[in-house]
Amino acid sequence: MSGALETLQARLSYVFRDRALLECALTHPSYLQEHPEVAESNQRLEFLGDAVLQLVLTEALFQLFPGDREGLLSKRRATLTKGVFLASLAREIGLDGCLRLSPGEESSGGRLRATALEDACEALFGALYLDGGLPEARRVVLGLYGPLPARLTGSLEADNPKGRLQELVQPRYGNMALRYEVSGISGDDHAREYEMAVFIQDRLLGTGRGTSKKLAEEAAAQAALETLKPEMPG
């Protein structure tokens, strides 16, 4: 794990003064079941990191699009902070390989789980804020995002992940290879949240979460696209 953390910090262009903060950001709640000596998972850091990310992007978008009204700025920010996007960003920087998971979570595909990656990404931003302050957190976050207009354009083009996944697997596996299954339902009747898993034949490709089955399937398909990307030509 030590080598993975060094690689991650190199990708961030930031070295943590308090390494425990970085390790906490990467600690899935399931890890505590097997390691009672570990005091805390990344859930509190996730809460903080969400606020840090919102502030950094709000400020950047406010300056970048001076002619936009509040509604459009909010829509742009929502695009850049949605779970599917954050899970994709987490994979880009190798967070999936750094997560600390229980054996059970690992064996059930936890490292592919979009929700785990989204949470770790936000927790990482919270850890950056605590370790280096807002200026450093802003520098790292905006460095990872790169040019925001390009990110926004790319997100708009990626609005149909189920269709893109189908197009990707059809030539090799056929029309009926993909299968979506409900892997979890939580929340009250008026505020349901679904988790879906997508399989190609019997192989789990990814999972996703959303307030409807459709949104959860789209999130799972996006996770599957990221999983398959290294395997596909081009």
Side-chain angles (χ1 to χ4, degrees):
M1 176 63 73
S2 177
L5 294 186
E6 299 307 322
T7 301
L8 175 61
Q9 290 179 100
R11 288 172 177 161
L12 298 175
S13 298
Y14 182 84
V15 176
F16 276 79
R17 291 174 292 182
D18 184 354
R19 191 181 180 93
L21 278 171
L22 175 59
E23 292 177 348
C24 184
L26 301 169
T27 301
H28 188 271
S30 67
Y31 189 80
L32 274 59
Q33 301 166 9
E34 305 285 333
H35 298 272
E37 76 280 4
V38 177
E40 192 173 6
S41 74
N42 61 10
Q43 290 180 308
R44 280 169 49 84
L45 282 176
E46 174 203 345
F47 169 76
L48 176 62
D50 174 65
V52 171
L53 180 62
Q54 294 282 335
L55 175 58
V56 168
L57 290 179
T58 297
E59 180 186 46
L61 291 169
F62 182 84
Q63 295 174 351
L64 191 60
F65 299 102
D68 282 4
R69 299 178 68 87
E70 178 188 359
L72 182 52
L73 288 170
S74 296
K75 184 176 180 180
R76 293 187 193 277
R77 184 182 62 193
T79 297
L80 296 172
T81 57
K82 62 185 178 181
V84 170
F85 185 94
L86 290 178
S88 178
L89 184 65
R91 293 185 190 94
E92 286 180 20
I93 61 176
L95 272 188
D96 50 339
C98 298
L99 291 180
R100 301 204 293 179
L101 307 165
S102 71
E105 184 69 15
E106 179 84 58
S107 64
S108 68
R111 209 168 287 279
L112 298 175
R113 214 178 303 281
T115 52
L117 294 171
E118 172 193 351
D119 293 349
C121 194
E122 290 179 335
L124 178 64
F125 297 152
L128 282 164
Y129 171 77
L130 291 178
D131 194 72
L134 183 58
E136 279 297 281
R138 179 189 295 113
R139 179 187 66 80
V140 174
V141 168
L142 294 180
L144 294 178
Y145 269 77
L148 295 184
R151 286 287 192 183
L152 288 164
T153 299
S155 294
L156 290 173
E157 292 173 349
D159 273 350
N160 182 22
K162 288 184 67 177
R164 291 189 298 122
L165 180 61
Q166 181 67 28
E167 291 174 3
L168 187 64
V169 304
Q170 183 176 336
R172 182 178 296 185
Y173 297 100
N175 290 330
M176 307 302 292
L178 291 174
R179 184 176 83 257
Y180 292 86
E181 292 183 0
V182 177
S183 55
I185 303 176
S186 59
D188 298 328
D189 288 343
H190 65 281
R192 282 280 188 242
E193 186 167 69
Y194 296 87
E195 185 169 39
M196 302 292 294
V198 58
F199 298 84
I200 186 166
Q201 297 170 348
D202 291 323
R203 175 189 173 190
L204 175 64
L205 292 180
T207 65
R209 184 173 58 182
T211 53
S212 69
K213 289 182 180 179
K214 178 178 182 294
L215 290 174
E217 286 180 354
E218 289 176 352
Q222 183 63 43
L225 285 167
E226 297 295 334
T227 300
L228 289 175
K229 188 184 299 182
E231 304 175 14
M232 305 306 290

